[in-house]
Amino acid sequence: AQKITQTQPGMFVQEKEAVTLDCTYDTSDQSYGLFWYKQPSSGEMIFLIYQGSYDEQNATEGRYSLNFQKARKSANLVISASQLGDSAMYFCAMRGPRGYQKVTFGTGTKLQVIP
Amino acid sequence: GAVVSQHPSRVICKSGTSVKIECRSLDFQATTMFWYRQFPKQSLMLMATSNEGSKATYEQGVEKDKFLINHASLTLSTLTVTSAHPEDSSFYICSASPPLPAGGQGDTQYFGPGTRLTVL
């Protein structure tokens, strides 16, 4: 079974500052994938970044980077230079081995960017 | 990224009626689509896995006769909430994954914009 834990129900960050959203996971699979999604108040789920369990380098996508620490089973999302439009719910998610597409979501972190 | 659409975006219906929600992958074929339900301020809960050409796989606790899923083609899956009641009011979101690239590991799920169902 897969389990995703997000321990921060809410976070505040000053505009232009960096922020780290925590995510830990538990799985018995050797191969798995980790995702971060953003959900603004409109409700749509926006894909941000993906990290494969065998990827040796941390994933980066623009202002988003994933701090992947496999031994600690953590996959924190780092947002650099926060913008007001970053205010949203952020969900960490994982799937099992490649080809097994079922995804488990964490409980989410509500990020608010302060001007 | 890949585009997934949902229709309608919002629906209000009377108790006892049935509501159909469509999920389409616009620029790729998806043999598998997923249906999620999200209550206010909560995470997404997987309801069922929709498989093209075969029966859907439902998660534990989800009534298959209540939530009918039909994956009629490689680009369309439908969720029908039958005899809807106020407790079925929720945000329903579908997702789909493009075919896995050769030699790649990424199989990102792309989500539709969601359908907000309100049952009066």
Side-chain angles (χ1 to χ4, degrees):
Chain A
Q2 303 168 0
K3 185 178 180 181
I4 291 280
T5 302
Q6 293 180 255
T7 57
Q8 307 155 312
M11 290 279 287
F12 289 92
V13 64
Q14 203 76 38
E15 192 178 9
K16 299 181 184 179
E17 297 291 313
V19 63
T20 298
L21 306 183
D22 295 340
C23 173
T24 57
Y25 61 91
D26 192 20
T27 180
S28 56
D29 295 319
Q30 296 300 310
S31 172
Y32 50 88
L34 296 157
F35 307 84
W36 277 93
Y37 289 88
K38 171 184 178 182
Q39 187 178 41
S41 57
S42 60
E44 61 186 308
M45 293 288 283
I46 302 169
F47 165 72
L48 296 179
I49 198 166
Y50 167 83
Q51 178 86 41
S53 58
Y54 291 118
D55 294 340
E56 295 185 352
Q57 291 191 330
N58 288 341
T60 59
E61 289 286 348
R63 294 186 298 111
Y64 305 107
S65 61
L66 198 151
N67 185 1
F68 181 46
Q69 298 189 39
K70 194 171 183 177
R72 299 177 63 180
K73 293 189 174 179
S74 73
N76 299 339
L77 177 70
V78 180
I79 305 174
S80 62
S82 297
Q83 302 172 356
L84 295 178
D86 293 335
S87 294
M89 282 291 289
Y90 288 80
F91 290 97
C92 181
M94 77 176 297
R95 61 142 178 86
R98 184 184 177 198
Y100 179 74
Q101 299 179 34
K102 186 172 172 180
V103 173
T104 302
F105 284 84
T107 52
T109 296
K110 185 173 183 179
L111 176 67
Q112 296 186 60
V113 180
I114 305 167
Chain B
V3 179
V4 176
S5 71
Q6 261 183 262
H7 178 81
S9 58
R10 185 181 296 269
V11 58
I12 301 173
C13 69
K14 292 182 179 180
S15 184
T17 60
S18 294
V19 175
K20 180 185 284 188
I21 303 170
E22 293 185 347
C23 177
R24 294 182 185 271
S25 56
L26 298 185
D27 51 1
F28 64 95
Q29 293 182 333
T31 55
T32 304
M33 292 183 176
F34 301 88
W35 287 96
Y36 295 84
R37 184 173 181 176
Q38 186 179 29
F39 290 106
K41 300 184 180 180
Q42 293 190 23
S43 186
L44 277 71
M45 298 298 296
L46 179 65
M47 297 175 66
T49 303
S50 172
N51 304 297
E52 189 270 337
S54 64
K55 291 182 178 180
T57 304
Y58 290 82
E59 295 300 301
Q60 190 173 9
V62 178
E63 300 176 59
K64 59 182 67 177
D65 294 331
K66 174 77 171 175
F67 299 99
L68 300 178
I69 291 173
N70 183 17
H71 198 142
S73 74
L74 289 173
T75 59
L76 173 64
S77 175
T78 60
L79 169 68
T80 301
V81 183
T82 62
S83 187
H85 288 92
E87 57 267 28
D88 299 323
S89 298
S90 189
F91 193 59
Y92 293 88
I93 311 177
C94 71
S95 72
S97 293
L100 294 174
Q105 189 180 6
D107 54 350
T108 300
Q109 282 196 22
Y110 293 93
F111 286 80
T115 297
R116 191 164 301 283
L117 170 64
T118 303
V119 185
L120 302 176

